[in-house]
Amino acid sequence: LHKMKPATFTASVFFSLLSTSLFAQKATTSEDSLNNNTSKSATTIGGYGNVFYQRNSALQTSKINLERFVLFTGHKFNDKISFFSELEVEDAKVSGGEDGGEVAIEQAYLKFNLNANQYITAGLFLPRIGILNENHLPNTFNGNERNYVETFILPSTWRELGIGFYGNVNNLPLNYSVGLFNGLSSEGFEHGSGIREGRFEGRNASANNLAVTAAVQYSPGDFKFQVSGYYGGTIGFSKRKADSLGLNSGTFGTAVAIGEADMIYTHNGFEVRVLGSIVSIPDASKINQAYASNTPKTEYGAYAEVGYDLLHSFRNDHDKQLIVFVRDEKFNVNASIPSNGVVDGTLNQNHVVAGFTYLPTRNVAIKGDVRLVHTGAQNADLIINPSPVAQPYQQNYNLVNLGVALSF
């Protein structure tokens, strides 16, 4: 990640607030109709996907990739019980013995409507944390790539097995949720990606360690505010094995804590998004001793995005939009290091992303953007067996992205 000078970061945030993010008109899908209990048939099929071209100025390389295709299938048993599922293929193809690609179940859960204001979910689903995790259709966010803060600090899309309770307050624009899930695995933590590879995502998850999440949303007028949090254990071993590794076992042993707050403002074609999050791993030194993974004690990230729909004042067809946007992302996956860790300046990063999103209809997006990347310097202690043809590390480079996205 990148180390950006304070003056540069402040100026870029100021510029983003003055510049001309997302969509006043939301995409509608088969999943939405089932969730809102308005589907015309008992079984519904939908999905989403995206493909984009990327040019990397540092490597002088280009690639084009079918990043995701997701097939949604849902079923309404009656007015009280529904089923939601998504099957995801990443990078178009999975081939034995080759790197890349993934086939995964992104969600598979039952929804039980208790009354008009409350419901329960049970199975594999996405906790309400951040903006993107629950709302990640590629035609409903700006930029071909998901923002990096909600990729590495909040590891979207993050799904686990558990049970959730959701509700809203009568006569108030206030809703809430709480959830109980399996926890993470600190054995999977990797240098450079934080807690991301510690997710189980429904596969043979440990139930010895658990996690709790909670979120509150308040939506007065054109604003939407949210605070959310997560606290969970990362050791699923028996006490005997955990003790042999010097790790704390139990339900919340060797815990990870996450706090997050965000805001969305939408008015007359403008949209502003702001999000901040911090991850705390108090026992990072014990994890490093057990796995030599250079796990940090603290990670943080924040971004601000502003966008404007150029067609807002000139159209009767509200399906069409042409949004110009700019986003400033600041994050550090290596913010504070325990005594047995090594500082990696490249994980302290600042990204400025600017571009456009054109929606000829609500569920189709054509996108173009440039991502300007700045990182801290490499630490020579982390350069082991360098390739003789490796290029010098570049702290400043850019990514140019062009792509299309859809949902249905």
Side-chain angles (χ1 to χ4, degrees):
L1 304 176
H2 309 268
K3 185 175 182 181
M4 186 177 217
K5 295 179 180 179
T8 306
F9 176 65
T10 302
S12 60
V13 172
F14 179 71
F15 172 73
S16 67
L17 292 175
L18 292 179
S19 299
T20 74
S21 154
L22 210 84
F23 307 90
Q25 299 295 323
K26 299 297 183 182
T28 56
T29 64
S30 298
E31 182 178 1
D32 295 329
S33 65
L34 181 61
N35 194 49
N36 296 330
N37 211 16
T38 59
S39 56
K40 296 180 181 180
S41 61
T43 301
T44 59
I45 296 175
Y48 66 87
N50 72 297
V51 58
F52 72 94
Y53 160 92
Q54 181 175 87
R55 175 68 178 176
N56 185 314
S57 70
L59 301 178
Q60 293 294 299
T61 58
S62 302
K63 68 175 184 178
I64 188 166
N65 186 35
L66 175 58
E67 185 181 28
R68 289 182 180 88
F69 179 75
V70 178
L71 184 64
F72 169 82
T73 306
H75 185 78
K76 177 181 175 182
F77 296 98
N78 54 48
D79 287 342
K80 294 290 186 180
I81 305 173
S82 301
F83 174 69
F84 297 74
S85 70
E86 286 182 346
L87 176 64
E88 176 183 46
V89 179
E90 291 189 0
D91 302 332
K93 177 182 176 181
V94 178
S95 184
E98 295 182 6
D99 292 336
E102 178 183 77
V103 177
I105 302 296
E106 189 161 277
Q107 61 179 10
Y109 68 89
L110 285 164
K111 177 185 177 185
F112 301 90
N113 295 317
L114 302 179
N115 52 52
N117 296 320
Q118 297 172 323
Y119 64 91
I120 290 173
T121 58
L124 182 70
F125 65 101
L126 302 104
R128 181 170 290 170
I129 185 166
I131 297 173
L132 189 67
N133 204 44
E134 282 191 313
N135 305 289
H136 55 264
L137 299 184
N139 56 305
T140 60
F141 61 81
N142 288 314
N144 285 276
E145 298 179 287
R146 296 172 176 179
N147 75 78
Y148 283 22
V149 174
E150 293 186 90
T151 299
F152 295 108
I153 306 303
L154 300 176
S156 303
T157 50
W158 187 2
R159 64 269 191 184
E160 301 289 1
L161 289 164
I163 184 169
F165 177 75
Y166 297 78
N168 59 73
V169 179
N170 280 329
N171 303 318
L172 284 176
L174 182 70
N175 63 66
Y176 53 86
S177 67
V178 294
L180 178 67
F181 302 87
N182 61 265
L184 296 166
S185 171
S186 56
E187 186 177 12
F189 293 174
E190 291 183 355
H191 176 70
S193 62
I195 64 174
R196 185 173 182 83
E197 298 307 318
R199 300 169 300 167
F200 283 99
E201 299 179 307
R203 180 181 180 181
N204 292 325
S206 167
N208 282 349
N209 57 303
L210 299 177
V212 293
T213 66
V216 177
Q217 294 178 344
Y218 179 55
S219 305
D222 296 328
F223 287 91
K224 180 180 179 181
F225 300 97
Q226 175 176 281
V227 292
S228 62
Y230 170 96
Y231 186 81
T234 67
I235 304 301
F237 306 136
S238 67
K239 186 178 187 305
R240 183 181 182 88
K241 183 174 181 178
D243 287 347
S244 72
L245 293 170
L247 298 169
N248 299 324
S249 60
T251 304
F252 298 110
T254 315
V256 166
I258 304 174
E260 177 273 334
D262 62 74
M263 180 275 289
I264 301 175
Y265 170 75
T266 307
H267 185 73
N268 288 341
F270 283 95
E271 183 173 279
V272 179
R273 291 187 168 205
V274 179
L275 179 145
S277 182
I278 188 166
V279 178
S280 175
I281 311 173
D283 292 327
S285 62
K286 295 181 179 181
I287 297 172
N288 288 336
Q289 183 176 347
Y291 303 120
S293 55
N294 204 24
T295 295
K297 290 186 68 174
T298 308
E299 310 167 19
Y300 71 84
Y303 70 84
E305 177 180 291
V306 181
Y308 179 67
D309 176 14
L310 297 176
L311 302 182
H312 177 78
S313 301
F314 304 99
R315 73 175 191 273
N316 293 319
D317 182 357
H318 290 280
D319 278 354
K320 291 184 178 180
Q321 295 178 294
L322 177 57
I323 299 162
V324 290
F325 76 95
V326 63
R327 180 172 66 245
D328 198 321
E329 306 176 20
K330 171 69 174 176
F331 55 105
N332 192 341
V333 188
N334 209 200
S336 67
I337 304 300
S339 58
N340 58 359
V342 181
V343 174
D344 184 353
T346 68
L347 300 180
N348 184 12
Q349 301 189 4
N350 198 104
H351 297 201
V352 176
V353 187
F356 71 89
T357 304
Y358 174 58
L359 289 91
T361 187
R362 192 174 297 185
N363 289 69
V364 174
I366 301 168
K367 302 181 178 186
D369 62 87
V370 178
R371 180 180 290 268
L372 307 177
V373 180
H374 177 77
T375 82
Q378 270 189 327
N379 185 336
D381 292 340
L382 291 170
I383 303 174
I384 301 172
N385 297 324
S387 169
V389 296
Q391 298 182 16
Y393 182 76
Q394 296 187 34
Q395 292 181 238
N396 298 282
Y397 62 95
N398 63 71
L399 304 173
V400 178
N401 302 306
L402 297 170
V404 294
L406 61 91
S407 67
F408 59 96

